[in-house]
Amino acid sequence: MATCEIISVGTELLLGDILNTDAQFLSTELAKMGIGVVYQTTVGDNPERLKKALSIAAERSDIIITSGGLGPTPDDLTKEICCEFFDKKCFLHEESLDKMKQYFANKNIEMPESNVKQAMLPEGCTVFPNNNGTAPGCAMEKDGKHILVLPGPPRELTAMYYESAVPYLSQFSEKTIVSHQIRTFGIGESALAEKVKKYLDGENPTVAPYAKDGEALLRVTAMADDEESAEELMKPIIEKIFAEIGEFVYGIDMPNIETAVVNSLKQKGMVVATAESCTGGLVSQRITSVAGSSEVFQCGIVSYANNIKHQILGVNEDDLKNYGAVSEQVASQMAQGVLRLSGADVAVSVTGIAGPGSDGTNKPVGLSYIGLAAKDGTLFVKKLLTGHSGKNCREYNRYVNASNALNLVRLYLDGKI
Amino acid sequence: MATCEIISVGTELLLGDILNTDAQFLSTELAKMGIGVVYQTTVGDNPERLKKALSIAAERSDIIITSGGLGPTPDDLTKEICCEFFDKKCFLHEESLDKMKQYFANKNIEMPESNVKQAMLPEGCTVFPNNNGTAPGCAMEKDGKHILVLPGPPRELTAMYYESAVPYLSQFSEKTIVSHQIRTFGIGESALAEKVKKYLDGENPTVAPYAKDGEALLRVTAMADDEESAEELMKPIIEKIFAEIGEFVYGIDMPNIETAVVNSLKQKGMVVATAESCTGGLVSQRITSVAGSSEVFQCGIVSYANNIKHQILGVNEDDLKNYGAVSEQVASQMAQGVLRLSGADVAVSVTGIAGPGSDGTNKPVGLSYIGLAAKDGTLFVKKLLTGHSGKNCREYNRYVNASNALNLVRLYLDGKI
């Protein structure tokens, strides 16, 4: 398998001014082609350091892909340094120069002198035209090593990658890598890893556990000559994994649990309603983030204050006083209330203490009750303790509460409640 | 100036599965302390490659900060490899072990055996407790080189960085770098840059424009011997900038516009209510993400379907039929409806077409109407066209619609509507 190092050039990256989405994009795409990214390096607009980084990269990878530093300003030097490193002379590429002049002409501007250097390209290179900006990129080769030079702005890089880099790189693409993500809910990363321990040592396919947003997932990856063969390789191990942990799985390659829930509701022709307190609208927001959710969602109530819980959802005032808003009784009545109000098939409620402040009672931050009520008479409340009460707990608790609410709907639709 | 290399550990990064926000966060924070990040490296869960990366980093930087690979699974090896590299023995840190057991106990779970290794720490290290997860981090020193080992999940890393890494790193901090972010709404990045063009070339302080989530902001940064001197340096330029663009500014170092709105409501002792369609709960979710928002928010209605707009908010059925849900009339009635229902002082509504699909009429994706109604009789509707209708427009349109709704409340509270 051909190996690759990605070098992102730009002092703004080292200052944390911008997020390095280029490296992620390139990594994803290279994996699809079966090219193994072994290192990513970020270096500033510093000729010496870039030269050293290229030197190190050339020792440890077959292919180097750089992004950034192709601009017209004095500190844009990536191409020049790469040419120096590969000992290539540069010449003025007339076609690129004309293209750049036209780019400026289209905006009724005269091309500044400083842009001319962007049309200087190494002898013998493969030119990568830029259809979304000024600077062309290129690919050069020496002694079996390859350097691809791409622009930094994500929109320009993405387009140039697909248009020019992919054809150039196809010579290295012997194998295909295919991955599937097994998404789970209700089991932690270490417990999950324990259950599938015997599969974690595989070479091909590989199985790797990850934690993400309060959920654990398994990434199964296989490398083969083509996509079908890679899928065939993975099939048995995915089946075995399902036999171990199927009860926790909400989908394969599902972006999130709300997508699984909306799909399930659509399949069953059912509608869900939401009644939220501490999550403040996050449950309904997640449901409606899924395109086509208007088929399965019509009504959400954010009853953030107790009087609203009573007034709109019909929650009993004495129960609010005696048990408090964060209680099984109130969660149950909130769900029943919005079910009645909306005419939905199933309703879910969330009431809890997101923190960091408590609610004036002895109840712990991170406690919540998730209620479910359905037209068929099902009534269920789940008590949840996230254990998170530190300074930054609010966002985490709200997100995990909302995920649990969505999971409860999923379990109901799957006939498990 | 002390130099630093950030090493992000994780095969998922090399596969492009996740975005490397840790490197950006660390870079921003280190810059504030006057520590120069000279390289960022990403390496997979591969002991040999990590060891080589540490070796290279130790040659070219004073400080190494690693993130990731502190989990309980077999491929989490960062701490072990760092210890090996620095030739330190590890011992079981009882305090960390107890803390971890308590973390699981708070969730009514028994700590899995595989987590125990997370409490193994190098002799002589400075322990960095983890108050947001299980794995503690640490800092170790050898022959004048320092390695800080931090967890990968952003929430855990951020907290541990502020709580433990900053005190540890202050020994390297000769100069102080202070930054302020001038947050604006209602003006684009290039228009903003044009207005403050004369300040963009400064050496110290520097002024840099950024675009973020449909807003433009200016980052003013000064470096001096101490914080007070840095603030003194920035004061005149911030005043000049305000003179140019003050009308668009909603705050300095305000994390987002919802925080500005909640603060303003608190100051005035007022309460806001929300009525949402296409944003699906995002406005109320953003309001309630601000701690203490229960003082200023009680009730949100997500009337995703037309019958719910009529049934709960009293929107006129004929108007829904004649003008459609996405109209000035419906936006106005939604706001008035939730104002009445909730007894709030001011109410805001959003109705629009987030996309990618349209709403069955000729109205364009990206169109929305934002309504505002207040107890003092104020009634206002803003028409908004985001111009985003491509494949990924839904999230963007919803976010920008919600931001505009929040901004309308802000303008009302500022007496500008």
Side-chain angles (χ1 to χ4, degrees), chain B residues 195-259:
Chain B
K195 283 191 182 279
V196 299
K197 205 162 43 172
K198 55 174 96 72
Y199 308 115
L200 298 183
D201 285 326
E203 286 273 341
N204 190 19
T206 57
V207 179
Y210 296 114
K212 183 175 174 174
D213 301 324
E215 298 173 19
L217 65 99
L218 292 172
R219 184 187 172 99
V220 185
T221 308
M223 182 160 73
D225 286 333
D226 52 57
E227 213 172 300
E228 295 76 33
S229 312
E231 296 285 5
E232 273 308 303
L233 259 179
M234 281 190 286
K235 215 160 134 216
I237 207 171
I238 289 181
E239 278 165 14
K240 290 189 189 130
I241 288 173
F242 259 79
E244 294 276 359
I245 59 149
E247 56 181 299
F248 299 105
V249 177
Y250 69 76
I252 301 204
D253 299 331
M254 196 69 68
N256 45 50
I257 197 170
E258 48 264 38
T259 305

Side-chain angles (χ1 to χ4, degrees), chain A residues 256-267:
Chain A
N256 45 49
I257 198 169
E258 49 264 39
T259 305
V261 172
V262 169
N263 288 355
S264 188
L265 286 162
K266 275 188 190 178
Q267 265 177 14

